[in-house]
């Protein structure tokens, strides 16, 4: 591996600018951690006062150091930072970790930008500012000011929050979670998650990546590397700001629908990242996924000594989408010897409160040897019969047996102080043991979601066939009129260019043309006055529905003209639109929006009046293939309506998928479009296809551009 | 207090039938626990072999004991139990705890029923069978075979699962949770949760009740006492079997909608019980609610030394419905002294990673003295600056200050091993300190949900005005024809008896009458053939829609007659139904069902084709008042459609509420009805009211009755 950040993670020499004798100073803590952490390379403390710190000779400036410096940790007041950056640039330092805060996070963008400019001009990269540093297990480098010691292991942590990052390092000591790396990303002035993931992706020591994210700056850069990394190892994400809204342009109806968080959530899923709800959950997943073998299938059994917890685990499995193996015959054969007559060999397997250590061993031996069982959830409620002293050997023994068979196993153990001591000891030995049913099941659920993603075959598809030139011309026309939205007929023309059906419609300039139009379209038709001056067509009497024959068209035409002239004698009337009367169907909404973080994002869901209140919509980042669009559509709660309920025919799902991809393609290839929303898309049975009824397209306001 | 179960919880004398010298026997463990628990009354071991056990003289039979025996614990093989029960009945024992299993839980209902029969005939009550016993703090009675010691305190546990119950007792020792009582309810052959709650309701030592429930046998008995108890003290419920379905009659469409769990969930909410998702959550709530003062208002502040966890807590608050106080002026004044310039006095208050113990004390002093702040969430990420040794005194000090001011406070503390030790010690001292943000916020959320319920004024309302006699006659008619469902016109008649509007409709026997009917109803009308022999009216050509005038009615009448005669020449045609053509409105569903556990339950939600897929419905047990019905309606996600979206007028909410209450009243007062479903109820703007379009009423199948 020769990644661009290789020397940041594996430096041969580091300097600490701001190294101090004063134990209360950050520069002291960092140097102390580097030394006590057993860093294998050269260490240069830098302090203008000179002298010796922690037994090392200091340098008055980074320029005084002989030989190359791969990484500098900068822990001096903000006002001195720019000079120090210049010194480092001159020295030819590779990477600069700016610990110091007081830059963009308090509104000081200028100096931060200048810092990056200086660095880049010298080919130097910057981590931070406003960070607690980083740890890398390879060279045993603890270049942080954390008070806790860090053990090497398989989990890499990337954290945008410094305070939480330090606290998380502390927690890894409690949970005995070994780390391959910890990086504080801070203000992400230069190096961001995408860069760091790019290194971790190929780092063999890193088995799981945990990211704590507060906001994404450049999602379009992050997504490809996140997708790649997630196919190699689990990436667990905690994102704060679920309740934060409003970054989406206020004008965008699509945005107001769901806020950024629903998009973030969908995009993470699309990339195969596992989003945890809490720190606790994220840590549990890290521990579990670091050591669990990859399951060869989805069939899970629950083994328990208490019926109650068995049911609780069944509930949790359903919530997590875990498949409980249900072949009674196989289960009976596998478990009958280990299960007393008053127990149950139905899943959950209840070996009853009378179960002793041998019974657990026998019962847990069954899934190990049964080819049709792929993973095991083990539950234990403390009993007097099963001496708690036996817990540790029982878990170790059955865990090892599962591991050798390549089958994941998870344990939930509930009881008193001796059980608690056993859990602590088992965690110390990296066994997947939990204090409650839910975390044990949640880990198994995360594992199955991950393995489903990993085993997915992803096929690339060509861009849908859309006439982008034609659309660009329509946009040119609108912008020439200084409009930031397309008119209804322009929207229809865009649909036409994409091959998305709209209701047949003809503009008629006189009665004769109106009748001809109606005959061509076929009855029944609707008629609408065409006039920029008449906005509320219905109020003006400019609308006629359900016209069934020539006579009705004639009557309606005259009525519309009379009504509208009476309503606004000065109005310029271009004519009357004669359109197909669309029959009712299933109303969906399909749209695309340019997300500030992730770029083009497509959306679909239940349409019509239900859009805003039900919020039954799903999102994906574009591009995506048909299969991903199908998964997106299946996330919509009202999806079964497309399959047909109450004896209705199946609807044109293929048409919906194609519409989603086309709308995404338009937004992605026409950078001047910010929003497309078709609501409703009237979807019919397969043979009848679908129709885009109301098309709303917004354009970038050129004055808004930065 | 002189509750019927007083002597069960406060016996002056207990006998243990099956007391044994053999330490592996349950009868031995129970006696040992009674003695080591320091029980204050008289203890009589009973064993036919006689002799001495654990220093006490045994009795050969319960009849040999002189003086009264309040409680007997029965721990002998099932085959000897009936004889022992007879002995106890003869002796005049008050309460019998049947530890022994092997009764209804394995299908042996007969002996269990016989046991209860014998007991009741002698005025004796039975707890169990299939239990681990019970503990009661008042008389220091540990009449269980649990291996853990139990500390007295304020939490009462009722558990249907034995294995989990014993494990929970163990956990109380780990979490230092003191108990007022633990009762294993087992098969609930006689004494059930309702009886036990009836005692705990007035037991002053019990501050919080925790119930683990697998299934409710008699919900109608439980609900009133649960409601009463919850108004006095928090009742926390864990219910397993969320994923269990199917107890609801298969024929009932309402049942298939949501399964029992949604009903259970709603009914618990209605009673003021707090339903926990996991054991961990339930225990956290117990600990927190045992000691938290009642808040005087809803305004919460978050105080943190890390921005990241502050945001995580904000997210969690939104999820829990906790109101974050947002008066910037008040917040600035209250917190500016304790907050450095680079921190934030906006909620969450960020006192930054530089905060020392005095800063925390100062910041947490502010809400104590600020009248506009009602509760505080405190977050701490381990830093080197804040020496972890200071954590314990800081928490104790600020917790006490909050308690004295009558303000709840909750702490989330994240860090390494020294933080972990501090958390353990603080929990030992009953401080509400948690390892992660979510549990700290979840406890606060549970507290606010409870206090909202407790402060609710509940007004009784008279039964809605429904002509039950008229409905009973309609039912008589249907049952006389051996139907278990009502015909459409009977359903309409039931609506009429309840004053719920249905579309105008007249059955016409000939053309002349059809025209008259149409004129009376007003155009447009629809017409449908009336014939029991023609089920699929549309297929038979027996349906005509949107008839706008006399001529169209005449044509349609003849067409229907011709079509139907051609379709089925032998069909008996009663005539044609002429009905108002109903204009589109908001389609809701309103219904009522007889739940096997809770009796009459009402339902409302989004109707039409969306019922099954969106499952956007809410439930309540009947009776309920208008305000509770309103809360129910507000739980429906599509509720905003009733308020009017996109400039629409507000809909007839009052009419919907009244329909819900009427439907509930009908089901409750007509025991022969099992299901009522109106789908759709077409709801219009306030002046236009609503219309019950399709009414389905099912009757009890008399052959199904037990």
């Amino acid at each position: 591996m020769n990644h661009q950040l290789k020397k940041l993670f594996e430096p041969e020499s580091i300097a600490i600018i701001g190294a101090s004798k004063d134990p209360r100073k950050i520069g002291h803590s960092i140097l102390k951690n580097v030394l006590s952490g057993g860093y294998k390379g050269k260490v240069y403390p830098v302090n203008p006062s000179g002298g010796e710190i922690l037994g090392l000779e200091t340098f008055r400036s980074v320029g005084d150091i002989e030989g190359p410096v791969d990484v500098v940790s900068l822990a001096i007041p903000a006002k001195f930072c720019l000079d120090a950056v210049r010194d480092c640039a001159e020295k030819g330092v590779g990477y600069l970790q700016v610990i110091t805060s007081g830059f963009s996070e308090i509104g000081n963008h200028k100096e931060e930008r200048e810092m990056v400019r200086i660095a880049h001009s010298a080919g130097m990269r910057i981590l931070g500012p406003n960070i607690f540093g980083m740890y890398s297990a390879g060279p045993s480098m603890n270049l942080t000011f954390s008070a806790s010691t860090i053990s090497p292991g398989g989990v890499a942590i990337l954290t945008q929050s410094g305070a939480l990052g330090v606290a998380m390092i502390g927690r890894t000591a409690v949970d005995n979670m070994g780390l391959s790396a910890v990086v504080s990303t801070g203000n992400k002035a230069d190096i961001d998650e995408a860069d760091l993931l790019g290194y971790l992706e190929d780092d063999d020591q890193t088995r799981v990546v945990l990211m704590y994210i507060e906001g994404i700056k450049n999602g379009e850069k992050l997504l490809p590397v996140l997708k790649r990394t997630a196919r190699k190892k689990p990436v667990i994400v905690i994102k704060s700001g679920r309740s934060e809204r409003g970054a989406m342009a206020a004008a965008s109806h699509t945005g107001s629908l769901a806020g950024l968080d629903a998009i973030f959530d969908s995009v993470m899923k699309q990339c195969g990242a596992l989003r945890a709800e809490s720190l606790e959950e994220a840590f549990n997943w890290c521990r579990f996924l670091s050591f669990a073998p990859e399951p060869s299938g989805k069939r899970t059994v629950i083994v328990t000594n208490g019926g109650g917890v068995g049911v609780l685990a069944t509930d949790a499995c359903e919530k997590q989408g875990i498949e409980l193996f249900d072949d009674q015959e196989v289960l009976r054969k596998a478990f009958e010897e280990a299960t007393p007559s008053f127990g149950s060999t139905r899943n959950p397997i209840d070996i009853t409160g009378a179960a002793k250590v041998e019974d657990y061993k026998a019962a847990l031996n069954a899934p190990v040897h049964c080819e049709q069982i792929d993973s095991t959830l083990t539950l234990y409620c403390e009993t007097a019969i099963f001496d708690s002293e036996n817990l540790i050997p029982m878990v170790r023994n059955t865990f090892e047996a599962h591991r050798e068979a390549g089958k994941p196993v998870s344990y939930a153990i509930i009881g008193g102080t001796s059980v608690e001591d056993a859990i602590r000891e088992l965690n110390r030995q990296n066994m997947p043991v939990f204090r409650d049913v839910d975390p044990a099941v949640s880990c198994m659920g995360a594992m199955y979601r991950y393995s489903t993603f990993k085993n997915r075959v992803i096929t690339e598809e060509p861009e849908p066939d859309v006439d982008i030139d034609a659309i660009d011309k329509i946009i040119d026309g609108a912008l020439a009129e200084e409009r930031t939205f397309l008119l209804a007929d322009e929207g229809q023309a865009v649909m036409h260019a994409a091959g998305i059906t709209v209701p047949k419609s003809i503009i008629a300039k006189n009665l004769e043309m109106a009748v001809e139009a109606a005959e061509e379209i076929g009855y029944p038709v609707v008629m609408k006055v065409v006039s920029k001056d008449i906005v509320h067509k219905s109020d003006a009497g400019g609308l006629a529905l359900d016209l069934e024959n020539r006579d009705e068209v004639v009557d309606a035409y005259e009525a519309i003209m009379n009504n509208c002239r009476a309503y606004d004698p000065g109005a310029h009337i271009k004519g009357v639109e004669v359109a197909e009367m669309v029959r009712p169907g299933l109303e969906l909404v399909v749209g695309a929006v340019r997300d500030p973080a992730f770029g083009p994002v497509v959306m679909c869901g239940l349409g019509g009046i239900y859009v805003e209140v039900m919020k039954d919509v799903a999102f994906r980042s574009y591009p995506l293939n048909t299969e991903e669009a199908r998964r997106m559509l299946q996330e919509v709660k009202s999806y079964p309506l497309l399959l047909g309920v109450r004896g209705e025919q199946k609807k044109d799902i293929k048409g919906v998928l194609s519409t989603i991809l086309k709308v995404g393609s338009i937004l992605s290839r026409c950078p001047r479009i910010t929003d497309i929303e078709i609501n409703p898309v009237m979807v019919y049975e397969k043979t009848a296809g679908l129709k885009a009824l109301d098309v709303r397209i917004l354009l970038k306001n050129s004055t808004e551009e930065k």
Side-chain angles (χ1 to χ4, degrees), chain A residues 60-302:
Chain A
R60 286 184 190 275
S61 114
V62 74
D64 294 350
I65 300 169
E66 277 182 51
V69 176
D70 290 337
V71 167
V72 163
S73 169
L74 190 64
I76 56 175
K79 58 185 171 186
F80 303 127
C81 281
L82 273 186
D83 283 342
V85 174
R86 277 187 205 102
D87 291 349
C88 291
E90 206 167 299
K91 168 69 185 165
V93 165
Y95 303 89
L96 187 55
Q97 301 184 10
V98 186
I99 307 290
T100 312
S101 53
F103 295 93
S104 67
E105 85 279 10
I106 59 161
N108 183 0
H109 294 275
K110 205 180 137 201
E111 276 188 79
E112 189 169 300
R113 262 188 238 126
E114 180 61 8
M115 197 186 277
V116 175
R117 198 196 56 75
I118 298 166
H120 282 187
S121 69
M124 184 166 70
R125 298 292 304 270
I126 286 185
L127 184 68
N130 185 29
I131 60 173
F132 63 78
M134 69 178 271
Y135 163 83
S136 177
S140 286
M141 176 186 70
N142 182 355
L143 199 55
T144 76
F145 58 81
S146 155
S148 302
T149 41
I150 303 177
S151 310
V155 178
I157 299 180
L158 307 181
T159 170
Q160 199 173 347
S161 163
L164 190 58
V166 171
M168 284 198 284
I169 294 175
R171 179 69 73 85
T172 62
V174 176
D175 289 0
N176 189 38
M177 194 161 96
L179 300 177
S180 61
V182 181
V183 187
S184 173
T185 58
N187 297 359
K188 299 191 270 192
D190 176 17
I191 294 174
D192 62 11
E193 293 93 352
D195 299 316
L196 297 163
L197 266 187
Y199 174 85
L200 297 172
E201 174 191 353
D202 294 316
D203 175 43
D204 289 336
Q205 176 151 11
T206 300
R207 286 197 300 273
V208 176
V209 180
L210 169 59
M211 297 168 76
Y212 171 80
I213 297 174
E214 294 182 344
I216 299 282
K217 279 188 173 176
N218 188 346
E220 290 182 82
K221 177 180 166 196
L222 178 63
L223 297 192
V225 60
L226 182 54
K227 266 185 203 171
R228 268 199 332 264
T229 310
R231 287 187 79 82
K232 295 179 186 164
K233 50 193 81 175
V235 179
I236 295 162
V237 173
I238 312 174
K239 161 87 163 58
S240 66
R242 281 175 187 265
S243 56
E244 192 183 43
R245 285 164 200 262
M248 193 79 88
S252 158
H253 177 63
T254 313
S256 71
L257 251 185
L260 273 173
D261 196 69
I263 292 182
F264 181 88
D265 215 70
S266 305
V267 172
M268 287 303 114
K269 211 180 287 171
Q270 186 178 0
C271 293
L274 300 166
R275 187 171 183 189
E277 288 242 7
S278 66
L279 290 177
E280 188 86 24
E281 186 169 64
F283 268 58
N284 287 340
W285 290 359
C286 283
R287 277 171 52 210
F288 187 78
L289 294 173
S290 296
F291 295 103
E294 204 171 316
S296 45
K298 298 196 160 190
R299 296 156 299 184
T300 301
V301 288
I302 300 172

Side-chain angles (χ1 to χ4, degrees), chain A residues 470-471 474 488-498 502:
Chain A
I471 297 175
I474 298 166
D489 58 327
E490 292 167 338
Q492 289 179 347
V494 170
M495 292 297 104
H496 188 72
V502 295

Side-chain angles (χ1 to χ4, degrees), chain A residues 447-465:
Chain A
M447 179 202 70
Y448 272 119
R449 285 197 295 285
Y450 179 65
S451 97
T452 302
F453 167 78
K454 207 177 160 186
N455 294 317
R456 193 174 282 162
V457 178
I458 297 172
T459 50
E460 299 254 337
E461 288 172 10
E463 278 288 334
D465 187 16

